[in-house]
Amino acid sequence: MSQEMLIVDGLQYSNWSREIFEQMREGGVDAVHATLVYHENTRETLSRLGEWNRRFEAHGDLIMPVRVPGDIERARRAGKVGIFLGAQNCSPIEDDIDMVAVMRDLGLLIMQLTYNNQSLLACGCYESEDSGITRFGRQVIREMNRVGMVIDMSHSAERSTLETVELSERPVIISHANPASFHPAKRNKSNRVLAAIAESGGLLGFSAYPFHLRNGPDCSLEDYCDMIARTADLMGIEHIGIGTDLCQAQPTAVLDWMRNGRWSKEMDYGEGNASNAGWPRPLAWLRDSRDFPNLVAGLRQRGFDEASVARIMGRNWVELLERAAVPTPAEEAVA
Amino acid sequence: MSQEMLIVDGLQYSNWSREIFEQMREGGVDAVHATLVYHENTRETLSRLGEWNRRFEAHGDLIMPVRVPGDIERARRAGKVGIFLGAQNCSPIEDDIDMVAVMRDLGLLIMQLTYNNQSLLACGCYESEDSGITRFGRQVIREMNRVGMVIDMSHSAERSTLETVELSERPVIISHANPASFHPAKRNKSNRVLAAIAESGGLLGFSAYPFHLRNGPDCSLEDYCDMIARTADLMGIEHIGIGTDLCQAQPTAVLDWMRNGRWSKEMDYGEGNASNAGWPRPLAWLRDSRDFPNLVAGLRQRGFDEASVARIMGRNWVELLERAAVPTPAEEAVA
């Protein structure tokens, strides 16, 4: 595969608009993993898919859907931004194993098994204890493997993540988080988890969400790129990428939905608190997708060679999808 | 309260028909806790409620709904069978705390926090490990306490049950199960759990489902009544009742739904196994509701006095509902 520069952002959830798609193009972004849903159930997920269908229709000159990994290269050649969809919780499948294949057919390439709380499948990183993968969870992992839906453990707890790597026959990813050694946070990951993700053939997408960063919104580009370099040493240069977690132009109501869903009568502030309840201030060097060249420059400055920069900025994401987001060939499937 | 005989069956799930309602009357049954749903989601639960509305309309000479505990006495005086509805899983509320009050308004008096598997609230008795009550679960327990929806832990795992008793400010019940000391089974309960249920002011309903009984379908009435006597010594005579788990005239498809819901691609045999996959053979002395007098006779034979027989056969269930199935008075509610 060519190591020519190609930029993939492994997680964004913005208040999508033509302006935001134009910013992606301006920043040289070739593909974005867009969050489709947080807590939406099956029926609501179909409506979110319908909204994306309308966006692809209205902005077909700027964006196109990524249904198979090769679509990213096709988008790039067409001068468009490829959008691949993921769910941050397993709510789209509700309690129904058959919804895995249905959602994959509809273009859901990635799904988290949990979002902070206990799910029917696994435990989230905000629960006090984690008893690992449930009976239903074991079946869902097998089914996601079969249909080629990538397992994302970004918001999951440690034991559930390690067990998922054990159970999954395909790579497991963390689309957006950072090493806890860089900044301790419930959402950041231990070296043990990061090593297991790499071992699985998976990938870590480095988050630029201030709650996941040393010095929060004042985290420097130098510190961020140094974190990347240290993680490359731990995980290997093939297993790291970007997953900015950019959430542009979203009202606080969306933050409340992410944090509280429908499960809480009290306000749950997630990574914030009562005195810091809103969206964090963005990084000065990554205000929106137009700033991706800053990141490329920072990696070069840190001493990465061009092939490594290309891997981190996007090639690894493409290769990951090729390994994990295609269905198991029928002849290999075991009944 | 009068200790006059009054019969309440704390769990049935039959293929409801006029014939079955007539059998209840013939057996002297004054009220039945009828399972409304196993794994039905919010919308499906509304359809099951609609079906009950139609039954109450079509068979209003035989049955009437129990919306408040006093309705049981009203049904008795009217010569009808009172039906109170319960859910065997928390699926009716999906991921939505507000559905607790909505379902209570619709007449759902009892809800299990789990059915064998991990739920969003707690752990079921078929999972290999139990990490206790989840973040969402803590809020649901508080809300069920507030609106007067009885918490039933029949299919839950041990730690989750003990934590629920700790967290709940109202009695917690096990509507249908037996002591594990009588017959070891995943669904039967340890003495520790039974003592905690009694301590909470709750109740155990003795199951007559053969998988929960010593010698299965050949369990003798004498052994069954001896189990009741021993449990009365452990829990106290106020904390025991009947919960037969009678499932009459149900096709195997219903058993499959109970066991597998939508979560499994493989057949899960629950308490059975591949060579014993169907409904168990019924007890000779409790074929259907007409046989309740056998149970009354068995308890007398075992030496229970009339007041105790009346308690076990139904009075305790009525008192339990008076303690646990009425809303918290507004003046006592804490914000």
Side-chain angles (χ1 to χ4, degrees), chain B residues 55-196:
Chain B
R55 286 184 199 113
F56 290 127
E57 197 179 340
H59 310 291
D61 55 324
L62 293 174
I63 57 172
M64 60 171 269
V66 174
R67 304 294 289 263
V68 295
D71 287 338
I72 293 181
E73 196 57 45
R74 274 182 279 277
R76 174 186 169 75
R77 273 189 257 115
K80 297 181 186 179
V81 181
I83 303 287
F84 53 109
L85 299 172
Q88 294 229 15
N89 200 349
C90 58
S91 50
I93 68 165
E94 296 182 357
D95 61 354
D96 191 346
I97 185 83
D98 290 329
M99 289 305 104
V100 176
V102 168
M103 288 293 163
R104 181 62 184 78
D105 282 345
L106 288 167
L108 191 72
L109 262 57
I110 299 176
M111 186 172 80
Q112 291 192 41
L113 300 193
T114 56
Y115 186 86
N116 296 353
N117 283 8
Q118 174 75 46
S119 78
L120 296 181
L121 313 179
C123 190
C125 61
Y126 274 66
E127 297 285 356
S128 57
E129 278 189 61
D130 176 4
S131 54
I133 303 303
T134 67
R135 302 210 301 162
F136 183 29
R138 284 165 191 267
Q139 297 218 16
V140 169
I141 288 169
R142 207 176 310 144
E143 183 72 351
M144 290 175 77
N145 283 173
R146 187 180 73 83
V147 303
M149 186 186 284
V150 185
I151 300 171
D152 185 356
M153 301 302 280
S154 294
H155 285 257
S156 299
E158 171 124 351
R159 177 175 165 185
S160 287
T161 305
L162 295 171
E163 284 189 18
T164 297
V165 169
E166 280 293 314
L167 290 163
S168 176
E169 293 178 356
R170 292 188 142 200
V172 175
I173 69 166
I174 290 169
S175 63
H176 59 304
N178 290 325
S181 61
F182 177 69
H183 178 66
K186 282 185 184 167
R187 278 273 286 103
N188 283 341
K189 306 302 177 187
S190 72
N191 282 355
R192 187 173 172 204
V193 161
L194 296 177

Side-chain angles (χ1 to χ4, degrees), chain A residues 13-30:
Chain A
Y13 183 64
S14 292
N15 192 357
W16 311 109
S17 65
R18 187 162 183 89
E19 183 189 0
I20 286 172
F21 300 139
E22 285 169 339
Q23 290 173 352
M24 290 173 179
R25 281 247 304 234
E26 203 175 323
V29 177
D30 296 293

Side-chain angles (χ1 to χ4, degrees), chain A residues 142 144-148 169-170 326-334:
Chain A
R142 206 177 311 145
M144 289 175 76
N145 284 173
R146 187 181 73 83
V147 303
E169 293 178 356
R170 292 187 142 200
V326 289
T328 304
E331 63 271 22
E332 289 179 26
V334 181

Side-chain angles (χ1 to χ4, degrees), chain A residues 39 41 94-97 116-120 126-127 129-131 134-136 139 142-143 146 159 262-266 268, chain B residues 39 41 94-97 116-120 126-127 129-131 134-136 139 142-143 146 159 262-266 268:
Chain A
H39 305 294
N41 64 18
E94 296 181 357
D95 61 354
D96 191 346
I97 186 83
N116 296 352
N117 283 8
Q118 174 74 47
S119 78
L120 296 180
Y126 274 66
E127 297 285 356
E129 278 188 61
D130 176 5
S131 53
T134 67
R135 302 209 300 162
F136 183 28
Q139 297 218 17
R142 206 177 311 145
E143 183 73 350
R146 187 181 73 83
R159 176 175 167 186
R262 285 176 277 248
W263 65 273
S264 186
K265 286 180 84 174
E266 302 154 12
D268 187 87
Chain B
H39 305 294
N41 65 18
E94 296 182 357
D95 61 354
D96 191 346
I97 185 83
N116 296 353
N117 283 8
Q118 174 75 46
S119 78
L120 296 181
Y126 274 66
E127 297 285 356
E129 278 189 61
D130 176 4
S131 54
T134 67
R135 302 210 301 162
F136 183 29
Q139 297 218 16
R142 207 176 310 144
E143 183 72 351
R146 187 180 73 83
R159 177 175 165 185
R262 287 176 276 247
W263 65 274
S264 185
K265 286 180 83 173
E266 301 154 12
D268 187 89

Side-chain angles (χ1 to χ4, degrees), chain A residues 233-244:
Chain A
D233 291 342
L234 175 73
M235 298 182 70
I237 192 72
E238 299 85 2
H239 301 293
I240 56 177
I242 303 296
T244 62

